[in-house]
Amino acid sequence: MEKSCTLLIHFDKGTPAIANEIKEALEGNDVSAKVDAMKKAIMLLLNGETLPQLFITIVRYVLPSEDHTVQKLLLLYLEIIEKTDAKGRVLPEMILICQNLRNNLQHPNEYIRGVTLRFLCRLNETEIIEPLIPSVLQNLEHRHPFIRRNAILAVMSIYKLPQGDQLLVDAPDMIEKVLSTEQDPSAKRNAFLMLFTCAQERATNYLLTHVDRVSEWGELLQMVVLELIRKVCRTNRGEKAKYIKIIIALLNSPSTAVIYECAGTLVSLSSAPSAIKAAANTYCQLLLSQSDNNVKLIVLDRLNELKYSHRDVMVDLIMDVLRALLSPNLDIQRKTLDIVLELITPRNINEVVLLLKKEVVKTQTGELEKNGEYRQMLIQAIHSCAIKFPEVASTVVHLLMDFLGDSNVASAIDVVVFVREIIETNPKLRVSIITRLLDTFYQIRAARVCSCALWIIGEYCLSLSEVESAIATIKQKEKLLMPKKTPQASSITISSRRPAVLADGTYATQSAASETAFSPPTIVPGSLTSGNLRSLLLTGDFFLGAVVACTLTKLVLRLEEVQPSKVEVNKATTQTLLILVSMLQLGQSHVLPHPIDNDSYDRIVLCMRLLCNTGDEIRKIWLQSCRQSFVKMLSEKQLRETEELKAKAQVSHAQPDDLIDFYHLKSRKGMSQLELEDEVQDDLKRATGEFVKDADDANKLNRILQLTGLSDPVYAEAYVTVHHYDIVLDVTVINRTKETLQNLCLELATMGDLKLVERPQNYTLAPESSKQIKANIKVSSTETGVIFGNIVYETSNVLERTVVVLNDIHIDIMDYISPAVCSDTAFRTMWAEFEWENKVAVNTVIQDEKEFLNHIIKSINMKCLTAPSALDGECGFLAANLYAKSVFGEDALVNLSIEKQADGKLSGYIRIRSKTQGIALSLGDKITLKQKGGS
């Protein structure tokens, strides 16, 4: 087992010092050599060496030293060496150090006295401490506060020992006297802490006696007072009315640490709106006054918790929370926007959007490095606001459209997606959005933004002027049609020909486009003069070319409906065909490094065929069905968001026999307004079942693990509780024998990223009795961990210790990950960035694709990001993206791609990607175990 020590030093044991060398240095008179030798000895002891031969040398040559550094290292050495034998009895040689410790406690130097008293706080051996008690008590009245404060702590630690109340029977009385006369803030705090820990009633009486002076006490003492209030009110909620006034008074403390703790204590004790508002105001003040970003993030976490439990109060403080956007830190800005977006109501939407617009305008100054990312967050926030409250869309959409040409591509994509959604959900804005989009189209630099903008133009240009303006923008402004400028330029003509009658009566053919010649495509650098769309096409982006073809085709088909002149329609059709043919020629030429892909080629050819021969059904598909699919997608997205909000809402129910107090019938005599409000809130919570724990008893039973066999003399079982970074093992140990078990110890060890917090203690177990033992374990990552160990005990009949080996406890990754939601863009970005991938082949008896998908989602506790409409139908193929987030902030991405074979079995792969190796491997193991359709 690891040694308990307050000193933690990394030491490389590759070249350990020889014990004889350390011994020689300790025996010498050189103080610096002694200091180095003591450090080496301590570090070897901390790393598992025993060095028993050094003890006598240290007693002879180090104990008499007057050097302060040597004395401090000596106390560290004495702290970590073994002081007891295998049976728990103090070693005889430990008596040698008692006289030295007594001399130190009476030393004229205050430092030596103080560090020795501090050392006594870490001793657990009663035989060593008992002779020193008179010296410790004398130091309670020493003139120097450093000694008094450490003497108080020493008294507290001695009193807390198993037999401490017998060693210091009147310790609480002495400390209470010290508390009433002490002037030093630290010593006063330690005295109050001793009473709080060892004699809680005395501490509460002292607090209530001096309630009017609490605000004058020091910061350290006020912090202990708040801790006492929390403990008292948790055990007896009826007494909280006495202490709420103290907390309210401490909210005006000059110490930020005290007012932060006050706010947290107030929230935990009271549900009254005035109390919650006071706490929230305190958090908002800390948010603005503190310069440390970590402090701001912690305060924002507290405000986020209030948002869920007391949303009505937080709504009124939304503008105060928004002031945190002044911080240049992106994490703070992101967390602030996340909180605010869930507090928006019709009353405050206009104020919020106005402030967000101002922040967007500020990002154009370019003063900060990450202005682009911040602008993207603001655009997403405004998008969310406009979807929830369509009436504000008109005030922001035109401002945001100025950023369609933003150098930050992600920000520009968010803008164009926002415009696409607003133009459908706000028909009144259609005309102004189309006009503005056509005016700013030339500014767009990114191909993905351009594709989305072209789709909007193709779908929502409805009138004759809009269609003609759109066609002109794409053809002329973007230089997709460039007139012949030099006689040397080769002409491109349409291959279709028509018969002509010559003068002699014979027939001949004539080119339909012989009157006009156009220059072939040439590679030119992207600039505003050459047109961004043309430049993007000439770099070989044929997916964008296919989007251009579809947009022009839709515009021409719509022009046929709104343009009475057939000549103009034919001219537009001919020019569009010319552009499409030119793109195909470019794709098949050797000018570009790679030819046109088959999908884009087929799409462009399909558009050419439609322009040459259009039926009513095809026209309906292109001009109506596309829009209908988009509307369906938006409605499904809104439905998903609504379901997520419902899932987040806390559903609680009151039991039929729960007590309900009638507020109007209760006596109000002697109750303050805050207490009355608190009573109302408690009644409401009780009526709605918020006090009722919603834990499932069956789920609790699933978490009980049997550690030993039923025939073992000691039976043990553990209830495992996982809470974020902590695992608590509540182990029940039952003595099934007729004998008393002595020195019973639960020894645990871990494998993986798990760490035991405390050393095991020895217990005595009476015949056929039981004992509850708790073990705390810290978790640092989502890698699968194993807890193993044994129970060791002694009996009076058997001299040797008996060992019962325990079953292993496997920590499940499912306890650390929870379903989460992210956008498709964010998923693709993370998928490209994450380097760890685990590929699991599908091997299951399940034959239905959707049933297998649901089984995997349930087994690995993830959220399916793929829309239900995309999973509809029976095509024999299924692809879906799943996402989850761990409590450590790690992202887990899963892609499921399966195919139904001819024999009915499913085949394919499940690919897991994450930033760390542990989560990818653990999820892969879980999927391999669960995918066959087992439990």
Side-chain angles (χ1 to χ4, degrees), residues 475-476 479-493 513-522 534 575 578 582:
K475 289 180 179 178
Q476 273 77 39
K479 305 295 191 290
L480 293 191
L481 283 179
M482 298 182 70
K484 179 178 176 182
K485 293 182 180 180
T486 60
Q488 288 81 13
S490 59
S491 63
I492 298 177
T493 60
S514 59
E515 297 175 357
T516 308
F518 296 91
S519 64
T522 55
R534 176 184 174 89
Q575 291 179 343
L578 176 58
S582 300

Side-chain angles (χ1 to χ4, degrees), residues 402-440:
D402 290 335
F403 297 99
L404 285 171
D406 197 345
S407 57
N408 183 356
V409 177
S411 177
I413 290 172
D414 286 333
V415 171
V416 78
V417 168
F418 169 63
V419 171
R420 184 182 67 181
E421 196 162 342
I422 291 301
I423 200 171
E424 172 59 41
T425 55
N426 292 263
K428 295 178 182 179
L429 299 176
R430 185 192 64 79
V431 176
S432 61
I433 289 176
I434 286 294
T435 305
R436 187 62 179 271
L437 182 58
L438 294 175
D439 290 341
T440 57

Side-chain angles (χ1 to χ4, degrees), residues 559-579:
L559 187 65
E560 292 178 7
E561 294 181 348
V562 297
Q563 173 61 265
S565 173
K566 296 296 180 184
V567 176
E568 292 296 329
V569 173
N570 290 338
K571 181 181 177 183
T573 304
T574 304
Q575 291 179 343
T576 301
L577 285 168
L578 176 58
I579 293 170

Side-chain angles (χ1 to χ4, degrees), residues 570-628:
N570 290 338
K571 181 181 177 183
T573 304
T574 304
Q575 291 179 343
T576 301
L577 285 168
L578 176 58
I579 293 170
L580 304 189
V581 170
S582 300
M583 284 194 289
L584 291 178
Q585 283 186 339
L586 175 65
Q588 294 173 342
S589 69
H590 299 289
V591 178
L592 299 176
H594 54 84
I596 186 171
D597 58 283
N598 291 334
D599 289 339
S600 300
Y601 180 87
D602 293 342
R603 192 75 169 164
I604 295 172
V605 170
L606 174 64
C607 292
M608 293 171 63
R609 288 177 178 168
L610 289 174
L611 291 171
C612 295
N613 184 14
T614 308
D616 291 338
E617 287 298 322
I618 298 296
R619 185 186 300 275
K620 182 179 178 183
I621 290 172
W622 277 69
L623 298 183
Q624 296 179 20
S625 299
C626 291
R627 175 101 62 91
Q628 291 169 0

Side-chain angles (χ1 to χ4, degrees), residues 498-510:
R498 61 190 180 196
V501 181
L502 300 181
D504 58 357
T506 59
Y507 288 92
T509 56
Q510 182 179 354

Side-chain angles (χ1 to χ4, degrees), residues 217-264:
W217 291 351
E219 173 187 348
L220 296 173
L221 184 53
Q222 288 176 345
M223 296 287 278
V224 182
V225 165
L226 290 171
E227 192 177 344
L228 171 67
I229 291 172
R230 281 196 295 268
K231 185 175 181 182
V232 169
C233 293
R234 271 198 298 267
T235 54
N236 187 359
R237 292 187 65 87
E239 293 189 5
K240 66 181 178 181
K242 299 179 188 175
Y243 301 102
I244 292 288
K245 295 174 185 177
I246 300 175
I247 300 171
I248 297 291
L250 289 178
L251 280 175
N252 299 318
S253 169
S255 167
T256 53
V258 170
I259 62 173
Y260 173 79
E261 287 297 326
C262 275

Side-chain angles (χ1 to χ4, degrees), residues 639-651:
L639 183 63
R640 282 204 308 273
E641 291 173 352
T642 306
E643 289 175 352
E644 287 165 14
L645 289 174
K646 286 181 181 177
K648 284 182 182 178
Q650 297 179 351
V651 180

